[in-house]
Amino acid sequence: MSVTGLRWLGAAALLALAAAPMVWTAAEALRAGGDAGAWRTLLEEPSVGHALALTLWTGLASTGLAWWCAAALLASGFVRQRLDRVLRGLPLMLATPHAALAIGLLFLIAPSGWLLRLVSPGLTGFESPPPWVTTQDPWGLGLILVLVAKETPFLLWTAATQLQRDDVRQRWRAEHALAQTLGYAPRRAFWLVLWPQLARRLRWPLLAVLAYGLTVVDMALVIGPAAPPTLAVLAWQWLQDVDPATYARGAAAGVWLALTVLVCSVLWLALQRAAQRALAHGRGRRGDARRAAPATVSAGLWLLGGLYVAVLLALALGSVSGVWAFPAIWPQSWTLAAWHQVASSSTTTVTTLWLAAGSSAIALVWSVAWLELAPRRWDEALRPLLYLPLVLPAVLWVVGLYAVGLRLRLEGQALGVLLAHTLMVLPYVLLALSPAYLGFDARYAQLNASLGHGAWRFLWRVKWPLLRRSLASAAAVGFAVSVAQYLPTLYLGAGRYASVTTEAVTLASGGQRSLTSAYAGLQILLPVLAFALAAWVGRPRRFRRNPA
């Protein structure tokens, strides 16, 4: 068999390893949610309409705001040639799990939170927490805020992976300069020439953000509306019921969420194309509206970074607080009891570490092999299939995972939980690694062949060492995604495998501020250490000069 045939055979085997479980999971989920009786009871449920309206409002508003913020920050950074400054704080923001950010924001903006303590009683006159609905508000504003704060860095980072490719950056710089020679202002040149090209490359990350915003469960449990909740939380509550009819109603709600994501994605992409066509034909006045953008963007960047710093401080302070009566700014007593309790439950941390390390390593190896072996047309055609875990609602996905786990007798087994995490991590690792890997200069391979070296020597001595920064970053992203998994750990683990995320979300609904802060802090610390290790691995090589 020829080398090309072997490559195609290897790609087909890799596709079967990844796509078969994904398709099986999706099929089982859709089958579970297709019960006609469950759909009738779902449509008769009085709270479903309000829950769906909240879902659409929070999901679409957060996606739109995150998309606009990321675009404005990228425009400012590219035009002013300060993109590195915009991207400097992204590793910490990406490493912060969704649930941990929601818990930290909860401790900031709650009626007894730190922000109100800073101005009470001097500016407010409050001697006790006011009866304000600042968390789990019925309008979903807290959920929108935390989604925007979390998804804007993700969109910035995925855009940065495109802008940091040498071939793309040089070509876009030349096109931007050419547009300016034709009389366009720098910002208008960016929006007319570069942004349409970049927006097309961000199609899948944007759809992932939209799907997550419409179907999020863990963040909505912590800070989202509660009476009624969003449709995803409502479906999750039904899926936890032991009554088969209620469980089927929850699965049907998951299918409804999937259809909602599909319709919203199609409409969003259609509106985006229409806006780009209008801009290309000069009907938009986007360039005039951006004259005051530098100050606005700088303020937005400071606000985003300040929010993350405030969340980290609130969690750090809460984790060592003892007695802390309102409106005192600082605790009246300090204690490490929460951290001692976290340390005593070391099994939770160990479970989180081996799940994250194992799933990210498997996903990285698979992604490298796929990008190396699969023909480009295969890769382009099959990406929607490989991105299924990104776009299917989490509540529907875990229904399918649970059914597959039962059929394979993996429910409550370590291998089953690892498989669930790997399927969730793989799309993110592939998404993170693809721009750098596919953009690798092919002339290196030609030079290697001209020197008489084989393909393996080229990979080990040239390609992978040059891509080690991208490989390490993709592995760190996969590690962080695994740490943040809530529903797959609960469902496939059957209560036998607790992670720092499941513990943090469970504790967030109680009154143990210090223990909740400690688990949320640990949830942030683990991905931060992974990104720090990735930065160390990907650091530029330094060569010593031989003395003459």
Side-chain angles (χ1 to χ4, degrees), residues 387-426:
Y387 287 160
L388 270 177
L390 294 182
V391 296
L392 279 180
V395 288
L396 183 62
W397 183 254
V398 295
V399 168
L401 279 177
Y402 187 69
V404 171
L406 287 177
R407 291 180 182 274
L408 297 178
R409 298 182 179 180
L410 293 176
E411 186 258 347
Q413 303 296 320
L415 182 59
V417 183
L418 179 62
L419 173 64
H421 276 240
T422 303
L423 290 180
M424 293 300 299
V425 164
L426 191 148

Side-chain angles (χ1 to χ4, degrees), residues 45-64:
E45 184 69 30
S47 59
V48 165
H50 195 175
L52 180 61
L54 279 173
T55 296
L56 292 172
W57 159 242
T58 56
L60 294 176
S62 61
T63 302

Side-chain angles (χ1 to χ4, degrees), residues 24 40 47 61 82-83 89 113 126 136 158 200 274 284 414 498 503 531 546:
W24 189 8
R40 282 194 298 269
S47 59
R82 295 181 180 178
L83 193 59
F126 293 136
Q136 295 189 318
T158 52
R200 284 195 297 270
E503 292 296 314
F531 274 95
N546 292 327

Side-chain angles (χ1 to χ4, degrees), residues 192-415:
L192 287 175
V193 178
L194 303 187
W195 179 245
Q197 301 180 64
L198 182 57
R200 284 195 297 270
R201 294 170 182 255
L202 298 180
R203 180 176 66 254
W204 282 110
L206 173 64
L207 293 182
V209 169
L210 177 61
Y212 186 84
L214 291 169
T215 63
V216 61
V217 174
D218 51 356
M219 297 176 81
L221 285 172
V222 174
I223 203 170
T230 60
L231 186 57
V233 174
L234 200 59
W236 171 241
Q237 292 171 352
W238 289 334
L239 288 172
Q240 290 181 295
D241 200 295
V242 295
D243 179 35
T246 306
Y247 181 89
R249 186 163 71 241
V255 174
W256 194 349
L257 273 174
L259 294 175
T260 302
V261 170
L262 177 62
V263 171
C264 289
S265 299
V266 171
L267 292 177
W268 186 285
L269 292 177
L271 289 174
Q272 187 180 8
R273 291 194 184 98
Q276 290 174 1
R277 285 196 298 268
L279 185 64
H281 288 83
R283 291 196 292 269
R285 296 184 58 82
R286 191 182 292 251
D288 297 337
R290 304 284 170 182
R291 288 175 181 169
T296 304
V297 169
S298 297
L301 191 60
W302 278 104
L303 284 174
L304 184 62
L307 177 62
Y308 275 82
V309 171
V311 164
L312 294 177
L313 288 176
L315 291 176
L317 191 62
S319 67
V320 294
S321 63
V323 178
W324 194 359
F326 189 90
I329 298 178
W330 308 107
Q332 281 79 32
S333 63
W334 306 86
T335 177
L336 293 175
W339 286 105
H340 286 309
Q341 190 168 344
V342 169
S344 65
S345 59
S346 57
T347 305
T348 301
T349 305
V350 172
T351 300
T352 304
L353 286 174
W354 72 257
L355 280 174
S359 59
S360 60
I362 295 171
L364 181 65
V365 171
W366 188 95
S367 299
V368 170
W370 173 257
L371 293 172
E372 194 64 44
L373 296 177
R376 184 64 63 88
R377 62 179 181 274
W378 285 27
D379 183 51
E380 293 175 353
L382 295 171
R383 281 298 173 106
L385 187 62
L386 297 174
Y387 287 160
L388 270 177
L390 294 182
V391 296
L392 279 180
V395 288
L396 183 62
W397 183 254
V398 295
V399 168
L401 279 177
Y402 187 69
V404 171
L406 287 177
R407 291 180 182 274
L408 297 178
R409 298 182 179 180
L410 293 176
E411 186 258 347
Q413 303 296 320
L415 182 59

Side-chain angles (χ1 to χ4, degrees), residues 3 185 233 235 255 267 300 410 428 447 500 502 504 520:
V3 175
V233 174
V255 174
L267 292 177
L410 293 176
Y428 287 95
L447 179 60
V500 294
T502 60

